[in-house]
Amino acid sequence: ELWTEREISRHLAERSSIFSGMLETWAAETVQCGFRLKPATGDKNLDILLKELLFGWDGDGGWMAECDARGLMHFWDLMTLAEVTEVRDGDHAFYLDPAGNNGRGSVQIIEGDRILTPYGYENRLKAGWTISNGIVWNETGYPVLVFIANVAPQYSFCSVEQGDFYPLWRPWRAAEGGVVLSIDLKRATSTRRQPWLSTAVRTHDEVDDVFVAIRIAMRNEACRATYTKIQDWDAYKEWMSLVDPTSDTAAPVEGLTHTPNPGDHVYFNPGEEGGVLESNKPGNNFESFINLQLTTVGLPLGMCIEEAVKIFQKSFSASRMAVEGTRRRYERRQRQIKRRKVVPILHFAIARLQSKG
């Protein structure tokens, strides 16, 4: 169930270093390493003006540096956060606000659980219009509106009074803004996307359980790994007679070795020596098991294990081929990000700058 899957995915992103590391690696590689934008209008002066207005002279200014609705994030920081949100939650949306940033337009990320079908929508739609997963379709099957709740609801229930319908962004009226969905709308019955790692949640849970069990076992063994052994019985017996003159204990046949609790033995007595017990945990099968599990976790993202956990244990040629396959997946994703997100938002930005003169 989508709502539950999102909560599990968010929990893992907050609690698991493996999970959060994979999401951050994916977002950084797909967004921050694959785009170099340059105006090419055919007019040199217009290209210079666009570069100054959008990117600034150093690539870290202009409209991109102030596009966030709160004025806290750069455009590429916003795109990176959007990619993390999509991978973690399954989908998201951008709200392009034409009134934001003093009329120059601002961008805000809308989480997927704020986009839903509310109660009481029947009286708010035109005849022949339908709604599915919060997306409104007209009588010809064309998406026109999307319902967005004011705040993220606790459950997938929301009344029409707790949000509003917003128009989807259209290229022919780019200056008016609207909502840009990250999902690819093909038909009215298309479902919302699941979190990308939802198919690997059970595998990840098994990995986490194994790590916890081994940590506890190794901690317990480490606490009780030291031992004392009576190496010289005559010296030990002499010491015992000084401590207790009435002691007349015979040399034991067994029990010369004692494994104390932590803190029991700070100093050795005369005739004793110390040692450390050897441990075979976590065992010879642990590495192969974890490699298999981590590979399963990385498959939904199309990431090889080396790229996912940044540990290269295979041969150089095998690791290089695996990483190159992952990088090709990054490149395919970059084309989708450019087509669905970057181009519409920059089209909106240019239109707003034009409207401001």
Side-chain angles (χ1 to χ4, degrees):
E1 195 264 329
L2 179 58
W3 206 267
T4 303
E5 292 286 354
R6 279 179 177 154
E7 293 304 316
I8 294 174
S9 182
R10 290 170 180 172
H11 176 80
L12 290 176
E14 293 175 356
R15 306 294 181 185
S16 168
S17 58
I18 297 176
F19 197 96
S20 61
M22 293 177 70
L23 300 190
E24 293 170 2
T25 298
W26 175 269
E29 292 291 342
T30 54
V31 176
Q32 294 185 345
C33 300
F35 296 86
R36 183 186 178 193
L37 304 177
K38 184 173 66 173
T41 65
D43 186 328
K44 182 178 180 180
N45 293 329
L46 183 57
D47 288 346
I48 295 175
L49 178 61
L50 275 176
K51 182 176 181 180
E52 179 182 0
L53 292 176
L54 288 178
F55 318 129
W57 284 107
D58 59 354
D60 194 28
W63 181 88
M64 281 191 167
E66 57 186 11
C67 66
D68 180 22
R70 299 171 298 172
L72 300 177
M73 304 181 70
H74 191 273
F75 178 79
W76 294 118
D77 296 330
L78 198 68
M79 292 294 103
T80 304
L81 178 60
E83 188 67 8
V84 171
T85 303
E86 181 164 353
V87 173
R88 184 194 63 198
D89 295 351
D91 71 302
H92 69 95
F94 290 109
Y95 175 55
L96 311 182
D97 184 5
N101 197 9
N102 295 322
R104 293 190 297 275
S106 62
V107 185
Q108 179 182 355
I109 296 178
I110 305 297
E111 292 183 318
D113 45 8
R114 290 179 59 186
I115 303 174
L116 42 77
T117 301
Y119 289 109
Y121 69 87
E122 294 84 359
N123 298 327
R124 300 285 295 272
L125 301 183
K126 296 181 181 180
W129 288 19
T130 59
I131 186 171
S132 174
N133 296 310
I135 304 169
V136 179
W137 313 77
N138 62 17
E139 60 275 5
T140 62
Y142 197 80
V144 291
L145 300 172
V146 61
F147 180 84
I148 299 177
N150 294 329
V151 295
Q154 186 175 1
Y155 305 101
S156 54
F157 301 104
C158 180
S159 66
V160 72
E161 290 79 13
Q162 294 175 307
D164 205 352
F165 289 92
Y166 293 84
L168 292 176
W169 180 82
R170 294 285 179 264
W172 55 86
R173 51 172 177 78
E176 298 179 15
V179 177
V180 175
L181 298 175
S182 67
I183 58 176
D184 187 14
L185 295 174
K186 294 182 178 180
R187 57 188 186 277
T189 57
S190 63
T191 58
R192 300 283 289 278
R193 188 183 296 125
Q194 293 276 343
W196 284 15
L197 289 181
S198 61
T199 55
V201 166
R202 185 178 299 277
T203 300
H204 187 281
D205 186 52
E206 291 177 353
V207 172
D208 189 60
D209 290 343
V210 170
F211 279 169
V212 172
I214 290 178
R215 281 200 304 269
I216 293 176
M218 296 185 71
R219 180 195 64 188
N220 292 341
E221 283 208 11
C223 290
R224 295 171 175 81
T226 59
Y227 65 86
T228 58
K229 182 177 181 181
I230 301 176
Q231 184 68 16
D232 185 348
W233 174 252
D234 293 332
Y236 186 80
K237 183 178 180 181
E238 180 181 355
W239 173 79
M240 285 292 294
S241 63
L242 292 176
V243 175
D244 183 7
T246 62
S247 175
D248 188 20
T249 306
V253 179
E254 298 178 352
L256 293 179
T257 301
H258 170 58
T259 303
N261 290 321
D264 279 2
H265 286 239
V266 181
Y267 301 105
F268 293 129
N269 298 320
E272 290 184 333
E273 68 174 8
V276 179
L277 299 173
E278 295 183 359
S279 173
N280 63 347
K281 288 182 175 57
N284 298 327
N285 295 327
F286 175 75
E287 183 176 353
S288 57
F289 168 76
I290 291 300
N291 285 343
L292 175 62
Q293 296 294 81
L294 292 180
T295 303
T296 306
V297 170
L299 284 176
L301 277 179
M303 298 175 68
C304 64
I305 181 175
E306 289 85 358
E307 184 77 358
V309 300
K310 302 300 183 184
I311 298 176
F312 299 87
Q313 296 179 337
K314 300 178 182 178
S315 65
F316 174 76
S317 58
S319 297
R320 184 181 61 183
M321 291 180 61
V323 172
E324 287 178 352
T326 302
R327 296 302 168 89
R328 286 193 292 270
R329 181 70 181 268
Y330 291 152
E331 293 174 359
R332 293 196 298 270
R333 179 60 183 165
Q334 285 164 0
R335 289 191 285 270
Q336 293 177 340
I337 295 174
K338 174 187 174 183
R339 183 175 64 253
R340 296 182 187 177
K341 302 178 183 181
V342 175
V343 169
I345 294 177
L346 293 185
H347 193 173
F348 161 74
I350 293 174
R352 289 311 307 166
L353 292 173
Q354 286 178 321
S355 68
K356 295 289 289 184

